[in-house]
């Protein structure tokens, strides 16, 4: 019960009251006729040996010295005796449990001689010497054990608080990483869709009268790009709006407890054909080449490949006058343990002011590659005509493996797109 009381004053007052009740009992029970009566003077001295306990938590050693002094003053008096020295025992326990190192040393050095002196004044018998020393030692050891337990409890609580702080910080970092991931996804989706729609919208008025079929195809491409962007945006916004409480097992629409909420699948490598076809409908010839034997690739790594190709094609549409583009997936290059993805064009749109590749777009590509232990860079092709974006992902690293230090994300010399 005492550990539930927060105020030290309240704890000390409660202990003082309990001890006072204990020392009062000999004064209220009938006494035999052959012993002196219990007077108020005796009771007052007994009370004086209890009152210092009110300060036991704030001044343990001073409390013990005051109780000892009062006890030695009461010792020559022939007043009612106590079966146990309650006040000194509580004071000794307090010094051992809460006092400093110097206070404990003083208690040990002076306590044992004083105990021996008190026994000598009373009975001077071996039995009482043995009992008094045993009682002193036992109470002191119990105080030491209480101090050790309290220190252990405080260490455990501090450790638990530190772990909770670490958990909260990790949750915040995870939320920041998720926000950054969603921001990259939205950037890629919107940038690609808007670029396609702009290209088609600019071409539509030019052919609306001379080539109605081509104009109709352009407007269909605009609508298709818009619908695709809306589908992907709804998917990402749906993830943002999910309530974690609804995703626990048994919640309606929350999915099962083992696999979490049901979400629309993210883009995969199979979606590259549709992506390339979208760009073709925008008027840019794109060739999709696959070399080597395709191997299983983690789902999030497939999303990275898709988004990198999407970003590269979007930059070409926005900033290049390329006539042809080649998207090449080489499985097992180099050395048979990597997937190499290259998007190369023959345009001259390198270094246009405000080019996306010089800012967030290329940074996003590098971050995606580094998240999977891969590398990414961009720069002009060796012969100086055209531009290329290259991505390499290891095929042996798990889907969520992250390489510290951002290995291999430096750009090639001359990177400006």
């Amino acid at each position: 019960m005492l550990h539930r009381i927060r105020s030290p004053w309240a704890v000390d007052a409660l202990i003082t009251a309990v001890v006072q009740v204990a020392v009062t009992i000999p004064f209220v029970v009938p006494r035999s006729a052959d012993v002196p009566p219990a007077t108020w003077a005796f009771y007052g001295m007994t009370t004086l040996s209890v009152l210092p306990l009110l300060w036991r938590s704030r001044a343990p050693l001073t409390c013990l010295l005051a109780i000892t002094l009062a006890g030695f003053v009461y010792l020559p008096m022939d007043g009612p005796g106590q079966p146990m020295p309650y006040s000194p025992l509580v004071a000794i326990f307090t010094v051992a449990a809460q006092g400093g190192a110097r206070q404990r040393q003083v208690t040990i050095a002076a306590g044992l001689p004083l105990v021996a002196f008190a026994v000598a004044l009373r009975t001077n018998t071996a039995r009482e010497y043995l009992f008094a020393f045993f009682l002193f030692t036992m109470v002191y050891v119990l105080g030491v054990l209480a101090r050790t337990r309290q220190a252990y409890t405080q260490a455990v609580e501090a450790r638990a608080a530190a772990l909770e702080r670490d958990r909260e910080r990790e949750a915040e970092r995870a939320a920041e990483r998720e926000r950054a991931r969603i921001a990259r996804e939205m950037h890629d989706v919107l940038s690609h869709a808007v670029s396609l729609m702009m290209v088609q919208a600019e071409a539509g008025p030019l052919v609306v009268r001379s080539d109605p079929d081509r104009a109709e195809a352009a407007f269909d491409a605009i609508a298709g790009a818009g619908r695709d962007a809306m589908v992907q945006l709804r998917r990402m916004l749906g993830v943002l709006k999910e309530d974690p409480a609804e995703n626990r097992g048994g919640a309606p629409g929350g999915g099962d407890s083992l696999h979490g909420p049901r979400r629309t699948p993210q883009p995969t490598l199979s979606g590259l054909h549709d992506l390339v076809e979208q760009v073709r409908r925008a008027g840019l010839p794109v060739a999709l080449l696959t070399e080597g034997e395709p191997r299983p690739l983690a789902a999030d790594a497939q999303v990275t490949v898709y988004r990198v190709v999407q970003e590269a094609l979007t930059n070409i549409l926005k900033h290049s006058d390329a006539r042809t583009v080649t998207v090449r997936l080489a499985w097992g290059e180099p050395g048979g343990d990597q997937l190499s993805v290259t998007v190369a064009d023959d345009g001259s749109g390198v270094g246009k002011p405000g080019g996306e590749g010089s800012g967030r777009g290329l940074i996003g590509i590098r971050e995606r590659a580094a998240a999977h232990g891969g590398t990414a860079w961009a720069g002009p092709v060796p012969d100086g005509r055209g531009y290329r974006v290259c991505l390499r992902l290891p095929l042996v690293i798990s889907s969520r493996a992250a390489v510290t230090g951002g290995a291999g994300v430096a750009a090639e010399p001359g990177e400006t797109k």
Side-chain angles (χ1 to χ4, degrees), residues 13-33:
L14 179 60
I15 292 176
T16 303
V18 172
V19 174
Q20 183 63 35
V21 170
V23 300
T24 302
I25 293 177
F27 289 89
V28 297
V29 297
R31 293 171 58 84
S32 60

Side-chain angles (χ1 to χ4, degrees), residues 188 191-193 195 309-319:
D188 293 343
S191 178
H192 180 71
S195 297
V309 173
Q310 184 183 55
E311 176 68 21
L313 293 176
T314 300
N315 285 339
I316 294 172
L317 283 171
K318 293 169 63 175
H319 308 302

Side-chain angles (χ1 to χ4, degrees), residues 38-291:
T39 64
W40 285 105
F42 292 156
Y43 186 73
M45 286 303 303
T46 302
T47 302
L48 286 178
S49 68
V50 176
L51 287 179
L53 292 177
L54 289 172
W55 292 271
R56 71 177 194 95
S57 296
R58 287 161 290 282
L61 184 59
T62 302
C63 171
L64 176 60
L65 293 177
I67 291 174
T68 302
L69 179 61
F72 274 103
V73 172
Y74 184 73
L75 193 61
M77 300 180 181
D78 196 12
Q82 306 293 331
M84 294 281 288
Y86 300 108
S87 298
L89 293 180
V90 173
I92 292 171
F93 176 88
T94 303
V95 172
Q98 303 179 15
R102 295 293 298 273
Q103 292 178 335
R104 296 195 299 272
Q105 293 171 0
V106 171
T107 300
I108 292 293
L112 292 175
L114 289 175
V115 169
F117 181 65
V119 173
L121 291 178
R122 295 187 53 161
T123 62
N124 198 28
T125 61
R127 177 180 178 182
E128 187 163 354
Y129 277 113
L130 182 62
F131 178 74
F133 286 131
F134 171 77
L135 200 60
F136 178 91
T137 305
M138 180 188 69
V139 172
Y140 187 87
V141 170
L142 288 177
V144 172
L145 293 177
R147 186 181 74 251
T148 303
R149 180 179 180 275
Q150 183 180 14
Y152 174 76
T153 302
Q154 291 174 349
V156 170
E157 292 175 350
R159 175 62 176 168
L163 290 175
E164 180 64 19
R165 289 192 298 270
D166 292 342
R167 187 193 66 79
E168 292 176 355
R169 284 194 292 267
E170 179 58 29
E172 292 174 358
R173 287 193 292 266
E176 291 175 358
R177 290 193 295 267
E178 183 66 9
R179 286 193 293 268
R181 184 192 67 81
I182 293 175
R184 288 196 302 268
E185 295 288 332
M186 295 186 70
H187 164 268
D188 293 343
V189 171
L190 291 177
S191 178
H192 180 71
V194 171
S195 297
L196 287 177
M197 289 189 287
M198 288 176 59
V199 170
Q200 297 293 340
E202 290 173 353
L206 300 178
V207 297
V208 69
R209 293 185 179 86
S210 61
D211 193 347
D213 292 338
R214 185 178 174 188
E216 182 178 354
F219 295 137
D220 288 342
I222 293 174
R227 284 192 297 269
D228 181 68
M230 289 301 297
V231 168
Q232 297 191 56
L233 288 176
R234 286 194 190 99
R235 175 196 307 152
M236 286 180 285
L237 294 177
V239 172
L240 289 175
K241 291 188 293 184
E242 284 172 354
D243 186 357
E246 295 178 357
N247 292 335
R248 300 188 181 98
D256 56 71
S257 60
L258 294 178
H259 302 287
R262 296 185 179 93
R263 300 181 182 178
T264 305
Q266 289 276 48
T268 62
L269 293 183
S270 61
L272 289 177
H273 297 280
D274 294 335
L275 177 64
V276 168
E277 187 59 32
Q278 276 188 335
V279 178
R280 286 172 182 165
R281 289 198 298 267
L284 179 62
V286 181
L288 178 60
L289 306 178
T290 301
E291 300 177 3

